[in-house]
Amino acid sequence: MAKLDKAEVEAGLLALPGWSLEAGDDKWITRKYRFGAFLGAIAFVNEVARLSEAANHHPMIAIDYRMVTLRLTTWSAGGLTPLDLATAAEFDAAFERQQAQP
Amino acid sequence: MAKLDKAEVEAGLLALPGWSLEAGDDKWITRKYRFGAFLGAIAFVNEVARLSEAANHHPMIAIDYRMVTLRLTTWSAGGLTPLDLATAAEFDAAFERQQAQP
């Protein structure tokens, strides 16, 4: 998959509120998700794991109590590709589904 | 729970191979665990979540593909306490149980 240039990444990020280029590093996009409880954060990470295993594209994941930080890059391309933007959108949809649960 | 001084922490760490004081910061102990597959790392994180929720003492967790990094401190004490050492031992036991699975 072809690496995107910075302008292409920034255009793609317009459709991904909450995601941004990592400061000082154009190879990563990142987003933080906040939850009401630790186990909500863990449930989200399990869904992220399921989706990323299915796509064979895995984010770096940090769980800081009730906050989850995801970071995406495409190692094989040495930077960001459309796969990162598509996977980010999938994680956002999973977050929205979880937030919509009663 | 009373904060341990550095000598006490170092004595406690003798019983916790793999755990160490974080470089340049005496308030955290940390260990990295390596797994054969991403989903093994995720299974471990779920067990860590279960144990830490039961103890009401939660580590910072990072999942970098097949490597899990845990970091422990006791916020209320402003440093490390016996609870951190006990919880670290519980996580190690969980890791050993998982490694022993066929």
Side-chain angles (χ1 to χ4, degrees), chain B residues 14-27:
Chain B
L14 294 176
L16 293 168
W19 286 86
S20 58
L21 274 168
E22 203 153 80
D25 188 344
D26 292 351
K27 290 187 179 174

Side-chain angles (χ1 to χ4, degrees), chain A residues 40-89:
Chain A
I42 294 295
F44 178 65
V45 166
N46 276 290
E47 183 64 2
V48 165
R50 189 184 70 77
L51 292 166
S52 60
E53 190 75 0
N56 194 27
H57 192 58
H58 303 82
M60 305 288 104
I61 303 168
I63 310 165
D64 297 327
Y65 194 37
R66 298 187 298 187
M67 187 175 75
V68 174
T69 305
L70 301 182
R71 299 168 65 235
L72 279 163
T73 195
T74 302
W75 298 101
S76 60
L80 290 157
T81 67
L83 182 59
D84 296 302
L85 300 175
T87 311

